């Protein structure tokens, strides 16, 4: 449904009637996601009598209100306010309006979900997804939404789409800078891990266990290379290629951190936000390819090195 909404919004750039349809589809999608998320939080694990906990009720309230706030950003005053705060945002654009609506919706639903339940423990109760499942449900949809969102073959030619995403050759110097950035991020990650182990050791152990579980099926050099490349390409095209040029580094990084649900509310989430800012600065300076190299390189190193180093 999300893909249909962004495609309609792109067509709506030239047709006011289609714009109305796009907005109607957006509101329907937002209501469905908000209500479904709120319901899931309320019927989830609660006190012994089966009633939802206060935490679950608050989280469900945030999720239930998410479609309201997301719908409000479609109104002209909210769009004009956004245009004053975001230099690349066009108040009259249905694509930008829908993008901002989805941004608000996803951020609030994610926040509500984190409040409602302990996401780390909840994810830990699940299984170990396959590499194909991880890519098919995470990175691939991000690429498809990004391509649809920038209007490939509707508003932009392939060449224009690549330019909009920042996909151009920056020179080997910047590719090397991206590779060096992966090493820098590895040391930064080690610093955050050490800090978390000192300040919140129990939560650190839980997150490590969940991470090991999520990537158990990829626990090989080949598996981590595939996952790292997929994450580097898919997430960078979405967050730094499609989202950042319209909403800026900080808002793109906030969404980047929020969608890494497996870290819950923790120091690790702050680490993901920092990584997003670092990659965003790299993308602004030299385009998307160095950011992809840094992201993929970091993920690959973080997964492969523990397999290669002596225990």
């Amino acid at each position: 449904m999300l893909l249909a909404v962004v495609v309609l919004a792109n067509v709506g750039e030239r047709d006011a009637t289609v714009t109305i349809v796009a907005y109607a589809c957006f509101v329907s999608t937002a209501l469905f996601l908000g209500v479904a998320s709120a319901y899931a939080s309320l019927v989830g694990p609660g006190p012994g009598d089966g009633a939802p906990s206060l935490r679950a009720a608050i989280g469900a309230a945030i999720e239930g209100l998410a479609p309201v706030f997301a719908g409000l950003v479609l109104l002209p005053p909210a769009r004009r306010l956004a245009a004053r705060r975001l230099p690349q945002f066009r108040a009259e654009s249905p694509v930008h309006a829908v993008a901002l609506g989805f941004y608000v919706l996803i951020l609030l639903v994610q926040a509500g979900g984190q409040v409602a339940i302990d996401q780390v423990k909840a994810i830990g109760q699940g299984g170990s997804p396959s590499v194909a499942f991880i890519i098919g449900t995470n990175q691939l949809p991000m690429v498809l939404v990004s391509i649809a969102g920038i209007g490939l073959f509707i508003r932009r030619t392939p060449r224009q789409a690549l330019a909009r995403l920042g996909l151009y050759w920056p020179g080997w110097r910047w590719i090397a800078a991206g590779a060096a950035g992966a090493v820098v991020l590895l040391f930064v990650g080690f610093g955050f891990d050490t800090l978390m182990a000192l300040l919140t050791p129990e939560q650190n152990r839980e997150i490590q266990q969940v991470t090991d579980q999520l990537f158990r099926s990829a626990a090989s050099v080949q598996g981590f290379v595939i996952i790292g490349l997929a994450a580097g390409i898919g997430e960078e095209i979405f967050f730094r290629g499609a989202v950042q040029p319209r909403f800026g580094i900080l808002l793109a990084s906030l969404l980047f951190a929020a969608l890494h649900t497996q870290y819950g509310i923790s120091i690790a989430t702050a680490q993901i936000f920092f990584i997003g800012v670092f990659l965003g600065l790299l993308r602004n300076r030299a385009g998307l390819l160095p950011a992809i190299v840094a992201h993929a390189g970091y993920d690959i190193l973080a997964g492969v090195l523990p397999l290669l180093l002596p225990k």
Side-chain angles (χ1 to χ4, degrees):
M1 192 62 178
L2 190 153
L3 277 174
V5 173
V6 295
V7 169
L8 286 170
N10 273 277
V11 177
E13 292 278 349
R14 302 190 301 264
D15 189 323
T17 302
V18 178
T19 296
I20 296 173
V21 176
Y23 288 166
C25 290
F26 169 79
V27 171
S28 300
T29 303
L31 283 171
F32 174 79
L33 181 59
V35 171
S37 299
Y39 176 77
S41 294
L42 288 175
V43 301
D49 59 2
S53 66
L54 177 60
R55 174 175 177 173
I58 294 173
I62 295 172
E63 292 167 325
L65 288 172
V68 177
F69 289 103
L72 287 175
V73 305
L74 298 183
L75 298 177
R79 290 158 62 181
R80 288 193 292 268
L81 177 62
R84 289 197 292 270
R85 296 290 186 270
L86 303 170
Q88 300 301 319
F89 185 91
R90 290 189 292 113
E92 71 281 3
S93 168
V95 173
H96 292 191
V98 164
L100 183 59
F102 273 124
Y103 182 97
V104 172
L105 176 70
I106 294 171
L107 201 64
L108 289 178
V109 167
Q110 289 292 107
Q114 294 287 1
V115 171
I117 62 173
D118 187 329
Q119 293 287 341
V120 177
K121 290 183 178 178
I123 294 173
Q125 294 172 358
S128 300
S130 66
V131 173
F133 181 84
I134 294 172
I135 295 173
T137 58
N138 289 277
Q139 283 74 41
L140 182 58
M142 287 184 179
V143 173
L144 294 177
V145 169
S146 301
I147 291 173
I150 64 172
L152 178 63
F153 300 126
I154 300 176
R155 296 185 298 119
R156 288 185 170 93
T157 65
R159 182 184 294 273
Q160 291 169 334
L162 290 175
R164 165 63 178 80
L165 292 171
L167 281 168
Y168 59 83
W169 180 250
W172 285 110
R173 179 169 64 95
W174 281 107
I175 298 298
V183 178
V184 170
L185 290 177
L186 193 67
F187 281 101
V188 169
F190 176 77
F192 272 100
D193 289 344
T194 302
L195 181 64
M196 192 169 180
L198 290 173
L199 299 180
T200 56
E202 181 60 31
Q203 188 181 45
N204 181 63
R205 283 192 292 271
E206 290 179 352
I207 290 176
Q208 187 57 55
Q209 289 171 358
V210 168
T211 301
D212 292 342
Q213 175 182 314
L214 285 175
F215 297 106
R216 187 174 298 154
S217 61
S220 65
V221 173
Q222 179 183 6
F224 280 122
V225 168
I226 293 173
I227 289 290
L229 287 174
I233 295 170
E235 293 182 12
E236 289 310 301
I237 286 177
F238 180 73
F239 292 107
R240 257 63 65 180
V243 175
Q244 181 172 304
R246 291 294 172 262
F247 297 112
I249 291 177
L250 294 181
L251 290 182
S253 299
L254 181 62
L255 186 64
F256 179 58
L259 287 176
H260 281 74
T261 313
Q262 70 269 28
Y263 298 118
I265 302 173
S266 67
I267 293 173
T269 305
Q271 175 189 343
I272 299 301
F273 177 80
F274 177 88
I275 290 174
V277 171
F278 180 92
L279 295 171
L281 291 171
L282 193 58
R283 186 263 193 258
N284 275 2
R285 185 65 181 85
L288 198 61
L289 284 179
I292 290 175
V293 170
H295 187 155
Y298 167 70
D299 284 353
I300 292 169
L301 288 173
V304 169
L305 284 181
L307 298 178
L308 301 180
L309 295 176
K311 297 181 180 180

